[in-house]
Amino acid sequence: MAYRKNTWRFPNAVEVVEYHTARYGAPGQRRIKRQNPTPEQMERQNQRNRERKARHKLRQHFVKNDYFSTLTYRREARPPDMLTAKKHWAAFIKRVRREYKKHGAEVKWLHNIEVGTKYGWHIHIIINRIPDTDIILRNAWEHGKVVSQLLYEKGEFRELAAYITKTPKTDSRLRETSYSTSRNLPIPEPEVKTYTRWKTWKEIKIPKGYYLDKESVHEGNNQVTGHPYRCYTLIKLNRRI
């Protein structure tokens, strides 16, 4: 049974995914009948993909001293709908981009516009920090307050990626969300190795200078194909900033 190992390398982490290739005809591999995924399985897979892409963007382009900020709304300034909130965001980031350019810098961001079940609106934003970023954000947002803090890096941004991509399906306190990122956040292609036979899981090898993020380790069988997979992350002991 053939399997593939994908390895992504980031400045402070290495992410590995091992899975069945679904390539039939390899030695010892039998053809299986594929099942159609349920809507619930598709939604879970879509959310995992969103988190993975956000995690990769964070690991490639951001550091712990960048900003996690929340743009709040005064009660009387709350938007009537998501379309209006998106227009507020567009005007805000246009001002921010202009100020970053004056500093000779390029703005990078991920954001999630959120409205709660009680119609409280806010926008979470992850943004690269330059001198005076807090002042730039405060001056650019005219609908309420801006609350900023340094990025929390637990699991090399694993938890942060899940937080910035949350939806009403993952957080019952939310009524509607809109997640997006800037276009200047390319992520590296994985190193791909394909093996002709699936072997019993070997112990994860931890290279010198890294440690295993135990919470990142997931092993199991694909709910659709029934074939096994494993994923995990190795994090640098001496983090590069």
Side-chain angles (χ1 to χ4, degrees):
M1 184 180 295
Y3 76 98
R4 180 170 293 166
K5 180 178 181 179
N6 289 355
T7 304
W8 289 267
R9 299 187 184 278
F10 303 100
N12 296 300
V14 175
E15 189 168 329
V16 178
V17 177
E18 299 167 318
Y19 61 98
H20 174 255
T21 63
R23 183 174 63 84
Y24 303 112
Q29 185 172 349
R30 293 187 305 170
R31 187 179 183 89
I32 62 170
K33 183 178 180 180
R34 295 187 62 85
Q35 301 178 22
N36 292 324
T38 66
E40 291 77 15
Q41 289 172 336
M42 284 297 298
E43 177 57 35
R44 286 196 294 270
Q45 184 59 49
N46 290 339
Q47 180 61 25
R48 284 194 291 268
N49 290 340
R50 280 192 292 268
E51 291 182 17
R52 174 178 54 81
K53 291 179 181 179
R55 187 171 63 248
H56 288 184
K57 290 176 186 292
L58 289 170
R59 288 176 172 172
Q60 183 68 20
H61 296 281
F62 294 86
V63 296
K64 65 179 182 179
N65 287 329
D66 286 328
Y67 269 154
F68 175 81
S69 301
T70 302
L71 314 180
T72 68
Y73 279 92
R74 298 185 301 275
R75 182 177 294 273
E76 67 276 11
R78 290 176 177 174
D81 51 38
M82 183 61 75
L83 179 60
T84 303
K86 289 182 178 180
K87 291 180 179 178
H88 292 167
W89 165 260
F92 164 80
I93 200 63
K94 182 178 180 179
R95 298 184 190 107
V96 172
R97 188 179 296 112
R98 183 169 59 242
E99 292 302 315
Y100 268 58
K101 189 174 181 179
K102 290 179 182 178
H103 285 74
E106 183 179 28
V107 63
K108 299 181 179 183
W109 55 266
L110 298 87
H111 88 295
N112 204 6
I113 305 174
E114 302 178 5
V115 55
T117 54
K118 296 183 179 180
Y119 293 97
W121 290 82
H122 58 274
I123 303 175
H124 290 310
I125 171 175
I126 296 169
I127 190 168
N128 58 315
R129 186 169 67 97
I130 65 173
D132 297 329
T133 291
D134 56 334
I135 298 174
I136 292 172
L137 299 184
R138 187 168 65 245
N139 290 340
W141 184 247
E142 57 187 20
H143 307 285
K145 295 181 179 180
V146 179
V147 181
S148 297
Q149 65 185 68
L150 300 181
L151 294 188
Y152 55 96
E153 57 177 317
K154 184 176 181 182
E156 181 56 21
F157 300 136
R158 171 174 41 80
E159 292 186 0
L160 185 56
Y163 191 84
I164 198 67
T165 59
K166 63 184 186 291
T167 71
K169 294 287 183 66
T170 62
D171 190 334
S172 60
R173 297 171 298 177
L174 297 175
R175 180 180 295 272
E176 186 178 2
T177 62
S178 178
Y179 165 74
S180 186
T181 77
S182 58
R183 296 179 181 179
N184 56 346
L185 301 176
I187 55 178
E189 293 295 323
E191 301 171 8
V192 180
K193 292 184 178 180
T194 302
Y195 301 86
T196 57
R197 292 184 181 274
W198 184 274
K199 298 180 180 180
T200 303
W201 289 128
K202 295 181 179 180
E203 183 179 357
I204 296 173
K205 294 183 179 180
I206 304 175
K208 184 177 180 180
Y210 287 82
Y211 70 91
L212 175 65
D213 175 18
K214 294 182 179 180
E215 294 185 26
S216 73
V217 180
H218 294 283
E219 298 181 0
N221 293 323
N222 184 289
Q223 292 181 335
V224 177
T225 67
H227 288 303
Y229 71 91
R230 178 170 70 177
C231 56
Y232 58 90
T233 299
L234 303 167
I235 301 177
K236 277 192 174 180
L237 289 169
N238 296 319
R239 182 184 175 90
R240 285 167 47 191
I241 298 178

